[in-house]
Amino acid sequence: MSDSNWLPTAALSALQLRADILAQIREFFAHRSVLEVETPILSHSGTTDPHIESFRTAEEETRYLHTSPEFAMKRLLAAGSGSIYQICKVFRQEEEGARHNPEFTMLEWYRPEMDMEGLINEVDELVRLLLQAHLPLANTRRFSYIEAFAQFVGVHPLKAEVSQLAAAALQHDIHIEMSSDESERDNWLDLLMALVVEPALPRGGPVFIYNYPASQASLAKLDQTDPRLARRFELYLDGLELANGFDELTDADEQARRFAHDRQTRKKNGQPDVPVDHHLIAALEHGMPTCSGVALGLDRLLMLALKAKHIDEALAFSSERA
Amino acid sequence: MASYGSNDLKRGLKIMLDGDPHNITEVEFVKPGKGQAFTRVKVRNLKTGRTIERTFKSNESIEAADVMDTDMQYLYNDGDVWYFMDQDTFDQVGADEKAVGDARPWLKDQDICIVTLWNGVPISVTPPNHVILTVAETEPGVRGDTATGATKPATMETGAVVQVPLFIDIGDVLRIDTRTGEYQSRAKD
């Protein structure tokens, strides 16, 4: 290792830009009377999501570093907080690459009584506000998940046989050993999303993908008219995933079932078990207002403003130098 | 058998794929939204030189290839086999024609080459970046013509054919860049 590893990975001008963007975000939400909150980073429970691995402490009584402030913020919503936002560091094991750092800054906000379309518009406004000085932005485009797959992969994500998804991957020169069993459908869809759809999305402006398969609902409500779909959306800009949002699940029983299902999947995969956040279930039982929520990766947003190729350029110190 | 987790894959690691050792030349970590993570690599087959793409699910286990690049001195060739010696241990290995491959016309006795060993057996040979070779055959040199940049073919002592300036003669000692196969200069001897 060379001696220059004490140095920041971001230019000092990038840090200035980060500070400016944080100030703009706070102003944006202050104008809209959205309350800034802070919730614990260390928690007794973690996310059960099999695709997200929490860091855990080595103390006798394990604590989990949060992977998103979602559960705690929902408890505030259930307690009557009204609209809230948070800017915080979150932590995810084993996520490292040009677009990933195991510790990253998230902007997460919740809007009671706002529907998913309303929140998509608000995300669009905020992103345009933050980026307007740095890059010209084309018109916002929207594709349903099904439309995106039809247009950029040429398959129907729900109706195609899994073997057709595998064939589509091979056509795009993706070579992977993965079974064509129905149980692997979501993995094939994730693969095609990351390696075929994302690079093919229109560039130059925000692109929202919405109505994900119900199997990828995470913490979103299912669509009332079409239960094969979940009210979830993602924002991409220049092929870079910036934000993930939901029409939030408010049903405590359904939430408990999804947690249980996650834990079964973890067990099947040989992944470590994670205790369920019973406080969240209790809060949902008490009653959480109908609301939409979204999490936006600020380091990625900064990458766009900086025209950076690697996330390290947006971080004072990359994880390697931390 | 040693193995790597797909999350640990890095450029320069050697892995086994389809029964052949490969060198990782590019690594990309991708993860869509909240979904499955994948590691996508570009790898070069160390036996054939062919580059291919491969994608792994996160937490997959990939067999490591016992591949080592070793500096070795080229000794001689007995027709079928090219012999190299490790100068520290004096161990000798024999490389076949396939392993020697494109390095063949650049191999000169006593030069230090990089021999890539897989399970102790040579699978490829990289000659030094620059070699000093004597011209064995070429048309007679033309005196004074150093400005036009015109060239002619010259066959070196090892059999390599190199484009050289017109003033070069048989017996001249030249410095050649083996990566481009280009003449660089006359070597001072």
Side-chain angles (χ1 to χ4, degrees):
Chain A
M1 281 289 115
S2 86
D3 289 331
S4 61
N5 273 350
W6 65 270
L7 281 165
T9 44
L12 295 179
S13 57
L15 302 184
Q16 181 64 55
L17 193 59
R18 176 182 283 270
D20 294 345
I21 282 178
L22 290 175
Q24 277 180 296
I25 292 169
R26 292 196 158 99
E27 202 188 321
F28 177 89
F29 286 118
H31 273 295
R32 295 172 181 228
S33 303
V34 181
L35 181 71
E36 177 164 13
V37 297
E38 288 187 0
T39 57
I41 282 174
L42 273 177
S43 169
H44 289 94
S45 56
T47 181
T48 53
D49 188 330
H51 295 310
I52 300 178
E53 214 53 71
S54 306
F55 284 95
R56 53 192 73 203
T57 63
E59 309 304 312
E60 204 165 305
E61 186 196 13
T62 306
R63 301 288 181 105
Y64 298 82
L65 280 171
H66 71 170
T67 59
S68 139
E70 182 156 7
F71 297 170
M73 290 180 80
K74 285 184 171 172
R75 287 161 62 191
L76 291 179
L77 291 163
S81 67
S83 293
I84 48 175
Y85 78 98
Q86 178 159 204
I87 297 170
C88 60
K89 283 294 190 80
V90 298
F91 307 84
R92 296 181 181 185
Q93 272 202 67
E94 294 172 354
E95 298 191 12
E96 201 157 0
R99 299 167 163 203
H100 294 83
N101 197 65
E103 142 175 14
F104 61 100
T105 304
M106 195 161 243
L107 163 63
E108 186 151 329
W109 77 97
Y110 291 88
R111 296 295 246 151
E113 309 309 332
M114 191 183 268
D115 64 11
M116 194 172 88
E117 281 71 27
L119 186 60
I120 285 178
N121 289 334
E122 190 166 70
V123 173
D124 192 44
E125 267 182 72
L126 176 63
V127 166
R128 287 180 175 277
L129 173 78
L130 300 176
L131 290 176
Q132 62 185 4
H134 310 288
L135 64 162
L137 287 179
N139 287 342
T140 300
R141 305 279 300 270
R142 292 164 194 229
F143 301 91
S144 73
Y145 190 89
I146 291 173
E147 283 166 359
F149 269 75
Q151 185 157 342
F152 304 114
V153 190
V155 297
H156 192 293
L158 305 178
K159 290 182 182 163
E161 299 289 331
V162 176
S163 59
Q164 288 175 283
L165 301 178
L170 195 58
Q171 259 174 29
H172 286 88
D173 204 27
I174 299 164
H175 303 265
I176 184 166
E177 278 178 40
M178 194 153 72
S179 123
S180 293
D181 197 77
E182 182 58 35
S183 63
E184 294 282 344
R185 174 179 295 272
D186 279 315
N187 287 336
W188 284 106
L189 290 177
D190 284 340
L191 180 77
L192 291 167
M193 186 56 147
L195 294 177
V196 180
V197 176
E198 284 183 18
L201 290 175
R203 303 196 152 239
V207 178
F208 288 92
I209 311 277
Y210 61 94
N211 283 358
Y212 277 65
S215 54
Q216 300 180 18
S218 193
L219 288 88
K221 261 188 193 150
L222 297 190
D223 192 291
Q224 282 183 331
T225 55
D226 186 350
R228 296 174 311 159
L229 302 174
R231 299 287 286 161
R232 173 182 158 200
F233 70 91
E234 295 246 2
L235 163 63
Y236 288 90
L237 218 160
D238 286 348
L240 190 62
E241 185 213 350
L242 278 185
N244 174 80
F246 303 134
D247 183 345
E248 300 292 347
L249 183 64
T250 51
D251 181 331
D253 293 339
E254 172 64 15
Q255 184 66 71
R257 272 198 296 277
R258 289 192 196 176
F259 279 158
H261 182 262
D262 280 353
R263 288 177 76 188
Q264 272 174 9
T265 306
R266 285 184 157 272
K267 196 169 177 185
K268 201 179 79 200
N269 294 349
Q271 293 173 280
D273 191 20
V274 180
V276 162
D277 190 339
H278 293 293
H279 290 312
L280 174 64
I281 302 292
L284 294 179
E285 275 167 2
H286 169 82
M288 186 176 90
T290 303
C291 77
S292 299
V294 62
L296 189 151
L298 285 183
D299 312 288
R300 296 250 183 105
L301 187 90
L302 205 59
M303 279 176 77
L304 288 170
L306 294 166
K307 299 173 183 65
K309 292 259 184 289
H310 201 289
I311 195 167
D312 290 0
E313 296 170 56
L315 303 168
F317 299 102
S318 65
S319 73
E320 198 181 66
R321 295 190 186 184
Chain B
M1 194 63 74
S3 64
Y4 300 114
S6 53
N7 299 60
D8 302 324
L9 296 182
K10 283 189 174 57
R11 252 196 308 190
L13 285 186
K14 315 286 194 288
I15 58 173
M16 290 300 296
L17 286 177
D18 313 325
D20 276 356
H22 289 74
N23 180 37
I24 300 177
T25 56
E26 277 177 46
V27 182
E28 186 189 6
F29 174 79
V30 295
K31 188 175 192 300
K34 292 184 161 290
Q36 172 71 42
F38 299 94
T39 301
R40 192 178 205 196
V41 297
K42 278 204 177 135
V43 291
R44 198 172 63 86
N45 185 316
L46 289 170
K47 286 169 79 179
T48 65
R50 229 181 100 221
T51 295
I52 57 167
E53 178 276 346
R54 201 51 77 86
T55 302
F56 303 102
K57 260 162 88 171
S58 63
N59 299 316
E60 234 179 283
S61 160
I62 297 119
E63 193 187 330
D66 178 14
V67 169
M68 261 179 26
D69 288 336
T70 316
D71 283 340
M72 294 186 122
Q73 186 177 46
Y74 172 55
L75 300 176
Y76 64 97
N77 140 41
D78 70 2
D80 298 326
V81 182
W82 284 254
Y83 291 93
F84 296 84
M85 183 178 71
D86 184 321
Q87 289 188 294
D88 295 327
T89 62
F90 304 109
D91 285 344
Q92 288 189 22
V93 296
D96 63 16
E97 193 172 349
K98 227 170 110 190
V100 170
D102 296 341
R104 186 174 174 176
W106 306 117
L107 294 181
K108 191 183 154 192
D109 308 358
Q110 321 224 334
D111 274 357
I112 306 297
C113 301
I114 299 169
V115 178
T116 303
L117 301 171
W118 174 39
N119 299 328
V121 177
I123 51 165
S124 79
V125 173
T126 311
N129 289 342
H130 298 98
V131 290
I132 309 290
L133 299 175
T134 305
V135 178
E137 228 182 282
T138 191
E139 285 172 30
V142 182
R143 289 276 155 227
D145 187 359
T146 56
T148 61
T151 60
K152 61 177 180 179
T155 306
M156 314 307 293
E157 57 181 313
T158 54
V161 177
V162 179
Q163 288 295 321
V164 300
L166 298 181
F167 58 82
I168 298 296
D169 253 326
I170 292 173
D172 281 352
V173 181
L174 310 184
R175 180 178 157 90
I176 315 287
D177 188 322
T178 61
R179 294 162 296 185
T180 58
E182 282 170 9
Y183 161 87
Q184 295 227 299
S185 63
R186 275 194 283 198
K188 308 238 164 34
D189 39 11

